[in-house]
Amino acid sequence: MSALSQRRVLLVIGGGIAAYKALDLIRRLKERGAAVTPVMTRAAGEFVTPLSVGALAATKVYSDLFDREDEQDVGHIRLAREHDLVIVAPTTADRMAQLANGLADDLAGAVLLATRAPVLMAPAMNPAMWEHPATRRNHQRLLADGVQFVGPDRGEMAERGEAGIGRMAEPLAIVAAAETLVATVKRPLQGLLAIVTSGPTHEPIDPVRYIANRSSGRQGHAIAEALRKAGATVTLVSGPVSLPDPDGMSVVHVETADEMRGAVEASLPADIAVFVAAVADWRVASESAQKIKKNGGGPPQLTLAENPDILASIGHHPRRPALVIGFAAETDDLLDNARRKLAKKGADAIFANDVSPAGGVMGGADNTLRLVTADGVEDWPKLAKAEAAARLVAWIVRRMGRGEDR
């Protein structure tokens, strides 16, 4: 199996004649089981079209740093955090200069500055540009910063009569370098099984109405992705959300709290369980088979029944995971409620967050969490949900004893 199997690769396609090779590179990466997310610079669009790139990658092509829809949830940070590897192919002299000097005036630049994933660059330029002292300085600076390179190779250039070192490495050589680079990255949760719940549940009243909590699923999905990046084998149990399924994990779709509990229990045994879903506390005791109509006699009388407490059932389960984490979404008495949940539900940690309307947490791009354990309370700053997920998983790594001294 390739080291790229089930890895997420962000491919930055730069503006150069070698951009056409990026099409074959996408195909070669996908042959090895990688999911490829393309980012095209404006200049790249002069050489290959987003339509052809997107068709081969089978996903959206990103290009605009100021895209209103993507940047509602800080899209450049999300792209930087969700991927296991960033490949820049072709890498122009300008892109090298920008990254070497910390410039980020487009989406590709912002992603390259924000990523914590390894970066592999495949330079492609005229030999005179590659040999220029400024390019050589930038190359050395990027190497010192930890950026890896493949190529450039010696060969003929697009310009008639030009030859020398500057030709972009062939796609198979880039893939081989990517496999080697990914194989060296530490994945501290490798070999562990994790369950994550995410999103709301919908408890039907009749065929068209339901009881639910507000939840976009962004935080739960981000945590599942961060666990996967750390090497865990992840099962994501998701209520109804509009988010795409993350790559590289098993995703179980459910509607109700009962279905979610069943899916979680079916996923046991596990080493880690993180319960992020906003499960509805109540359901109607008897769902109507027909749509309830207004008949002038006032609102219908609905008898409610309590839904299962999934966190408590797993926290006290005979096959309880070694680490059980819950989320407490509260509008008042945040810490008191979180401490009660910690004691009552058999959890090792509760991440408490204030979901008062003024905070904008529910459905928003950011989160402010307070970590409550038997040892006390740790306040975290306001973070993008992907950042909060990465920090949570770093805490899990330490708690599971899977850090550097492992």
Side-chain angles (χ1 to χ4, degrees):
M1 179 183 293
S2 170
L4 292 169
S5 178
Q6 297 189 341
R7 300 298 184 98
R8 299 191 68 180
V9 176
L10 188 71
L11 175 61
V12 177
I13 304 174
I17 187 62
Y20 77 91
K21 293 184 179 180
L23 301 177
D24 187 37
L25 177 58
I26 292 170
R27 184 170 66 89
R28 300 297 185 179
L29 290 166
K30 289 177 67 68
E31 282 177 351
R32 286 151 181 80
V36 181
T37 303
V39 171
M40 292 182 64
T41 66
R42 181 174 297 179
E46 300 295 327
F47 297 93
V48 293
T49 67
L51 181 62
S52 58
V53 171
L56 284 169
T59 190
K60 178 176 179 177
V61 178
Y62 295 85
S63 59
D64 188 358
L65 178 60
F66 300 104
D67 185 284
R68 181 176 299 177
E69 179 180 346
D70 293 335
E71 285 301 316
Q72 284 182 345
D73 62 344
V74 198
H76 65 283
I77 299 296
R78 175 171 44 80
L79 286 171
R81 295 292 187 265
E82 289 181 349
H83 292 81
D84 303 296
L85 173 68
V86 180
I87 299 176
V88 187
T91 304
T92 62
D94 181 64
R95 180 59 61 194
M96 288 176 61
Q98 286 189 336
L99 184 57
N101 291 281
L103 301 179
D105 63 352
D106 63 357
L107 179 60
V111 167
L112 285 167
L113 283 187
T115 189
R116 294 183 179 132
V119 176
L120 177 65
M121 286 187 155
M125 62 195 74
N126 183 273
M129 298 174 71
W130 176 249
E131 294 167 2
H132 193 281
T135 305
R136 308 311 302 147
R137 287 195 301 271
N138 292 332
H139 181 229
Q140 291 303 311
R141 179 176 292 183
L142 291 170
L143 284 171
D145 289 343
V147 175
Q148 302 294 308
F149 285 83
V150 53
D153 295 342
R154 182 181 296 276
E156 294 185 357
M157 300 293 110
E159 302 89 349
R160 178 177 293 182
E162 293 275 353
I165 297 176
R167 184 185 181 94
M168 190 177 95
E170 293 302 314
L172 285 176
I174 298 172
V175 167
E179 288 178 315
T180 299
L181 182 54
V182 166
T184 65
V185 175
K186 293 181 179 179
R187 306 186 80 197
L189 299 181
Q190 187 79 41
L192 298 186
L193 304 178
I195 303 169
V196 180
T197 66
S198 184
T201 63
H202 289 177
E203 311 299 329
I205 297 171
D206 62 22
V208 298
R209 302 179 181 92
Y210 56 83
I211 300 170
N213 288 338
R214 291 190 177 96
S215 174
S216 66
R218 286 176 176 171
Q219 187 65 84
H221 278 54
I223 290 168
E225 176 61 30
L227 284 165
R228 183 202 64 80
K229 285 187 67 176
T233 299
V234 180
T235 297
L236 174 62
V237 181
S238 176
V241 297
S242 60
L243 302 173
D245 289 347
D247 294 309
M249 67 186 69
S250 173
V251 182
V252 183
H253 296 280
V254 299
E255 291 278 339
T256 68
D258 272 327
E259 291 172 352
M260 183 169 283
R261 179 179 61 177
V264 169
E265 290 182 344
S267 300
L268 295 173
D271 303 288
I272 302 162
V274 187
F275 296 97
V276 195
V279 180
D281 292 326
W282 306 96
R283 68 182 187 277
V284 294
S286 180
E287 176 188 352
S288 174
Q290 291 83 35
K291 179 182 176 182
I292 300 172
K293 306 287 288 184
K294 290 188 291 186
N295 57 17
Q301 297 298 311
L302 299 179
T303 301
L304 299 181
E306 191 170 343
N307 266 330
D309 189 323
I310 301 172
L311 173 59
S313 66
I314 300 302
H316 298 288
H317 199 278
R319 293 187 293 167
R320 181 191 190 276
L323 184 62
V324 175
I325 298 170
F327 271 63
E330 305 289 348
T331 58
D332 51 69
D333 299 327
L334 181 65
L335 291 181
D336 286 343
N337 285 324
R339 289 189 183 102
R340 280 193 289 270
K341 285 187 176 182
L342 182 71
K344 180 181 178 182
K345 301 196 178 190
D348 298 293
I350 295 289
F351 281 89
N353 57 339
D354 186 342
V355 294
S356 300
V361 169
M362 301 300 282
D366 301 321
N367 211 346
T368 303
L369 298 174
R370 307 183 78 176
L371 170 59
V372 181
T373 66
D375 297 326
V377 178
E378 181 181 323
D379 291 338
W380 288 10
K382 185 176 183 179
L383 298 167
K385 289 182 176 178
E387 289 277 1
R391 183 163 177 168
L392 187 155
V393 170
W395 180 85
I396 290 174
V397 169
R398 295 192 299 272
R399 181 67 181 251
M400 297 293 289
R402 309 279 287 197
E404 293 295 330
D405 57 350
R406 172 175 167 232

